[in-house]
Amino acid sequence: MAITKDNRTLQILNAAAAGKYGVLSAIAYNVEQLEALVRAAEAKRSPLIIQLFPSTLKQLPLLAHTAAHAVRTATVPLCLHIDHAQNVEHIREIIATLPVDSVMVDMSHYDEAENLEKTRILTKECHDRGIAVEAESGRIEGGEDGIADTGDLEALFTSPEDVDNFIAAGVDILAPSIGNVHGDYGPTGPKEGQLHYERLEAIGKQINNRVLIALHGTNDFPPEVMQRCIRSGAIKLNVNKLLLEVGNVVLRKNAASWSIPKLIDEQIRVIQAETERWMDICGSSGKAPEKAP
């Protein structure tokens, strides 16, 4: 990981790996959600990775610059990550024009050989700009708002060969497939035996600190499942609905009767509270240094 020294994402994740806690890598679709996430990080003195989808960059181009401003001005370590970037030319536009710290180069919708080759090329281009790269080994089934649905493609567990191939491609962060899915599991979370913790632990041993592990597909996770994944080696914890659904509930219940300012205030309040709760669960609360790196 040649760009570790100055890259915010890798600084945050390396500190978490050393401290054996997880860091939320939280999706924001709008400025209210972004504000809630940043307030939570400041209140809990917790590092945080802010994630935007490529679709959000097209819908709300200013949001990336707003997030980058939050990263620069926060008193805790924050960084800006683009999640599930699946179009080669859009990735090149993103890294050339936006102040991002890391990008998930998601070529998992291609066959294995093309996935690896595109990932290798794009990783080199990102590294040349000081941008860290995450990639998905195997294939994680399903879809969520903001990314292409792979529900019609067979889920592929990450194999030892996958791990070696993606490390050879130069990535900094690996998102393995261990039975996790993009989308919903149901109200009780993953079924018994659905998540292969032993596979995650084996991947961690094989990696041997050469790259960091990201966990995708955390919708509906109970706290104990998240904590077990952290103990098994997951450091970067992608979260979407897990934090944001409480804000959606506010909108569904009150949009017809409340004023817009009241709706905004309440969304921010409940998302901040839920984010703080999960920072406690994941162990990142209180881990921020006195001054952001």
Side-chain angles (χ1 to χ4, degrees):
M1 290 185 280
I3 61 171
T4 302
K5 182 178 178 182
D6 298 319
N7 183 271
R8 292 186 185 95
T9 301
L10 297 183
Q11 287 176 337
I12 288 170
L13 293 177
N14 281 322
K20 300 187 183 305
Y21 57 88
V23 175
L24 297 177
S25 196
I27 285 290
Y29 293 98
N30 57 42
V31 73
E32 295 96 319
Q33 294 166 353
L34 175 62
E35 177 69 18
L37 297 173
V38 174
R39 287 187 189 182
E42 294 279 9
K44 282 294 178 178
R45 305 304 303 163
S46 170
L48 172 72
I49 298 172
I50 299 167
Q51 290 198 154
L52 304 179
F53 282 132
S55 58
T56 304
L57 300 179
K58 292 181 178 294
Q59 289 175 319
L60 300 171
L62 289 177
L63 193 60
H65 297 281
T66 305
H69 175 76
V71 168
R72 290 192 303 270
T73 58
T75 66
V76 294
L78 305 182
C79 64
L80 178 56
H81 177 84
I82 307 305
D83 195 31
H84 285 287
Q86 297 172 309
N87 179 279
V88 171
E89 293 311 313
H90 194 201
I91 291 171
R92 289 178 170 144
E93 178 187 342
I94 288 166
I95 66 175
T97 62
L98 293 177
V100 301
D101 299 296
S102 50
V103 175
M104 183 189 181
V105 172
D106 180 7
M107 301 289 110
S108 63
H109 45 296
Y110 292 101
D111 64 41
E112 183 178 355
E114 192 168 3
N115 179 352
L116 283 166
E117 180 61 12
K118 288 181 183 296
T119 299
R120 182 187 64 78
I121 292 168
L122 289 164
T123 296
K124 173 64 165 57
E125 294 178 21
C126 288
H127 283 180
D128 286 345
R129 296 177 181 272
I131 297 168
V133 173
E134 177 181 337
E136 183 174 302
S137 58
R139 182 183 294 124
I140 299 170
E141 186 179 11
E144 58 186 309
D145 293 342
I147 64 173
D149 191 343
T150 57
D152 59 343
L153 300 174
E154 183 182 0
L156 302 173
F157 286 116
T158 296
S159 69
E161 182 181 14
D162 290 331
V163 173
D164 286 338
N165 286 340
F166 277 93
I167 290 175
V171 305
D172 307 284
I173 306 162
L174 195 66
S177 174
I178 59 163
N180 44 330
V181 299
H182 291 128
D184 296 339
Y185 297 90
T188 59
K191 296 177 183 176
E192 183 69 28
Q194 181 172 353
L195 298 182
H196 294 202
Y197 301 108
E198 70 286 349
R199 185 184 296 268
L200 182 57
E201 291 165 4
I203 289 167
K205 290 177 181 177
Q206 183 183 353
I207 284 171
N208 193 26
N209 300 316
R210 290 178 291 170
V211 297
L212 297 144
I213 295 178
L215 179 68
H216 289 228
T218 63
N219 284 0
D220 308 310
F221 268 26
E224 61 272 15
V225 170
M226 186 73 87
Q227 290 171 337
R228 183 164 180 187
C229 288
I230 295 168
R231 292 196 301 272
S232 298
I235 301 298
K236 177 179 180 286
L237 310 171
N238 281 29
V239 288
N240 187 335
K241 175 185 173 184
L242 197 70
L243 305 184
L244 301 182
E245 181 60 15
V246 290
N248 296 333
V249 170
V250 168
L251 282 176
R252 285 196 291 267
K253 288 185 175 180
N254 303 295
S257 57
W258 285 10
S259 68
I260 290 176
K262 186 175 180 180
L263 285 169
I264 290 172
D265 282 344
E266 185 63 8
Q267 286 177 82
I268 291 172
R269 186 190 70 79
V270 297
I271 294 170
Q272 178 182 347
E274 189 68 1
T275 303
E276 290 184 19
R277 185 173 79 89
W278 278 98
M279 286 172 169
D280 288 345
I281 290 165
C282 297
S284 66
S285 295
K287 296 300 194 298
E290 287 302 312
K291 190 175 181 180

